[in-house]
Amino acid sequence: MKLSDLTNQAGEWLRGSGPMSDIVISTRIRLARNVSGFPFLTRCTRHQRMSLEKRVRETVLNSQVASKMLYVDLEEAPEIDRQLLVERHLISKPHADDTGARGVAIGDGETLSIMVNEEDHLRIQVLRSGLQLDESWEQINQIDDALEAKLDFSFHPRFGYLTACPTNVGTGIRVSVMLHLPGLKLTNEIEKVFRAAKEMRLAVRGLYGEGTEATGDFYQVSNQTTLGKSEDDIINDFKQFVIPKILDYEHQARRTLLTDKTAALDDKIFRALGTLRSARLMGSEETLSFLSHLRMGINLGRVKDVDIRTLNELFLMTQPAHLQKLQGKKLDGDLRRAARAEYIRHRLGAN
């Protein structure tokens, strides 16, 4: 598997066939781990950082935690490749923008990525399509056990796993569910999500996590603290309370749009489809907005001739780094907007 192989296909998590995938784009579980005998990265010398990266890389690649593994040396990788990995949710933006020895191991199908020398020594991540909390936890737990058998992770009998950020101390787990909530946005009820999240001490972020705004009506809901709760407790909260409540809100909003605001709903959907099929210049944010409305139209049965997987892939392939990799050259300004519009027209079967 090579990095170039990723450009022409979407990862398994974007296949759009997981449970509740009309609203739940993906489930992500991440574990933060640090190796005993090495300081946290903020205190590491250049030599320690290089030694740590080499040791973790060799351990991960020899661990057989995935049938195929690709390792990308981020210190050597071009900026566009690093941005591509951010757009695919395989590394964080800070990891892409950092300096020094660091990398990422990617499993076949992109359900697994292991960031090396991000904020912690290891950030193990499992990413699946739709709502798959139990399956994601089972997979990442097995990977964590396999790596811990070969690496001595920093652990305190009272505080649990020790991490660079105090909010991750304990289990080191971060559960994130990516939700598509256009109904709540269109009915001006999105504040319900923020209130529910605040009550349960959860974070609501944008498409690319911490520090990003919600675009295209996509929201990441994540736990904020890990100390004092077991992994099962955190996952059960999401499975039994958090996500069902938000899904109920969104379903209610969509029913309201279908019964009481049909004309306004169809206008949003078919204006979006018409623009996507005819525009000659398309910016990133307006593309996400139109694709969001079209995705809702497909899921509500208003649009019959566009496949949901094609739609999901368009969200990814129209991002700046993907578009430039597909074109094989650097694109700026109107050149990029024109290439994006042409690609969308081609994928949607327009002229």
Side-chain angles (χ1 to χ4, degrees):
M1 188 165 62
K2 298 176 293 185
L3 186 59
S4 58
D5 295 337
L6 304 183
T7 307
N8 296 306
Q9 61 188 29
E12 189 70 14
W13 62 274
L14 260 179
R15 72 185 189 278
S17 60
M20 309 294 182
S21 58
D22 59 329
I23 296 175
V24 182
I25 301 294
S26 63
T27 301
R28 187 193 74 168
I29 298 184
R30 189 214 69 202
L31 296 175
R33 298 290 185 258
N34 290 278
V35 181
S36 293
F38 287 89
F40 290 133
L41 287 174
T42 52
R43 303 300 296 268
C44 270
T45 64
R46 180 175 176 273
H47 176 74
Q48 286 173 320
R49 186 176 177 123
M50 291 172 62
S51 176
L52 178 62
E53 189 272 339
K54 182 175 184 292
R55 181 178 171 187
V56 174
R57 169 172 29 98
E58 290 175 350
T59 301
V60 168
L61 292 177
N62 293 325
S63 64
Q64 297 183 324
V65 294
S67 57
K68 294 179 183 177
M69 292 285 283
L70 166 69
Y71 190 88
V72 181
D73 183 337
L74 295 176
E75 188 176 22
E76 298 295 328
E79 181 183 357
I80 192 167
D81 288 347
R82 300 197 305 271
Q83 181 58 34
L84 182 95
L85 294 169
V86 172
E87 291 175 2
R88 298 183 85 86
H89 296 268
L90 295 170
I91 66 172
S92 64
K93 194 170 187 309
H95 199 35
D97 296 341
D98 201 1
T99 57
R102 67 199 192 284
V104 60
I106 303 163
D108 193 27
E110 300 175 51
T111 60
L112 167 67
S113 75
I114 302 172
M115 288 182 278
V116 180
N117 285 357
E118 200 240 23
E119 184 176 43
D120 293 287
H121 299 163
L122 293 92
R123 288 280 178 96
I124 309 163
Q125 170 185 283
V126 162
L127 191 61
R128 286 174 170 253
S129 174
L131 188 61
Q132 298 195 61
L133 289 160
D134 290 334
E135 297 85 349
S136 298
W137 170 239
E138 183 179 355
Q139 181 184 356
I140 203 168
N141 195 31
Q142 290 175 354
I143 293 165
D144 184 42
D145 288 346
L147 294 176
E148 194 163 19
K150 299 184 177 185
L151 292 168
D152 184 18
F153 291 149
S154 298
F155 185 87
H156 188 278
R158 179 182 173 189
F159 298 116
Y161 289 101
L162 302 179
T163 57
C165 179
T167 61
N168 290 319
V169 170
T171 58
I173 194 172
R174 177 67 56 86
V175 179
S176 298
V177 177
M178 178 80 73
L179 300 159
H180 182 222
L181 304 174
L184 287 168
K185 191 70 178 292
L186 287 174
T187 55
N188 297 313
E189 293 186 309
I190 195 66
E191 282 301 317
K192 283 184 175 181
V193 175
F194 296 111
R195 286 197 299 270
K198 187 176 181 180
E199 288 171 10
M200 302 195 72
R201 299 181 67 193
L202 302 171
V204 180
R205 299 186 172 100
L207 191 59
Y208 292 102
E210 192 166 355
T212 64
E213 297 294 322
T215 52
D217 306 323
F218 291 101
Y219 300 84
Q220 277 193 48
V221 180
S222 312
N223 65 299
Q224 293 195 58
T225 56
T226 68
L227 190 61
K229 273 190 171 184
S230 70
E231 296 94 339
D232 287 338
D233 288 340
I234 293 168
I235 290 166
N236 283 332
D237 280 348
F238 268 77
K239 189 168 62 175
Q240 295 177 20
F241 305 111
V242 180
I243 302 305
K245 182 181 283 191
I246 297 174
L247 291 180
D248 185 49
Y249 290 157
E250 177 63 18
H251 281 133
Q252 286 180 30
R254 293 186 185 191
R255 284 194 294 270
T256 298
L257 289 168
L258 279 169
T259 57
D260 300 339
K261 301 180 180 181
T262 312
L265 172 67
D266 283 346
D267 185 67
K268 280 281 187 186
I269 293 167
F270 290 102
R271 276 180 186 271
L273 181 58
T275 303
L276 291 166
R277 279 183 163 160
S278 61
R280 264 46 186 177
L281 294 174
M282 291 292 295
S284 290
E285 288 200 13
E286 64 175 340
T287 297
L288 285 173
S289 178
F290 287 135
L291 289 174
S292 171
H293 293 147
L294 179 54
R295 188 179 196 278
M296 179 174 59
I298 296 169
N299 284 323
L300 290 177
R302 313 305 282 183
V303 177
K304 309 285 189 181
D305 61 343
V306 181
D307 178 69
I308 191 66
R309 181 157 187 164
T310 298
L311 195 282
N312 284 347
E313 288 175 359
L314 280 172
F315 278 108
L316 186 63
M317 298 303 181
T318 56
Q319 296 298 302
H322 278 80
L323 202 58
Q324 291 175 93
K325 293 288 277 190
L326 286 169
Q327 295 283 321
K329 58 186 176 183
K330 184 174 176 61
L331 298 169
D332 289 311
D334 280 353
L335 286 176
R336 185 189 298 176
R337 289 190 285 273
R340 181 180 290 112
E342 183 181 6
Y343 179 77
I344 293 168
R345 293 198 310 274
H346 170 71
R347 291 299 303 271
L348 293 180
N351 295 322

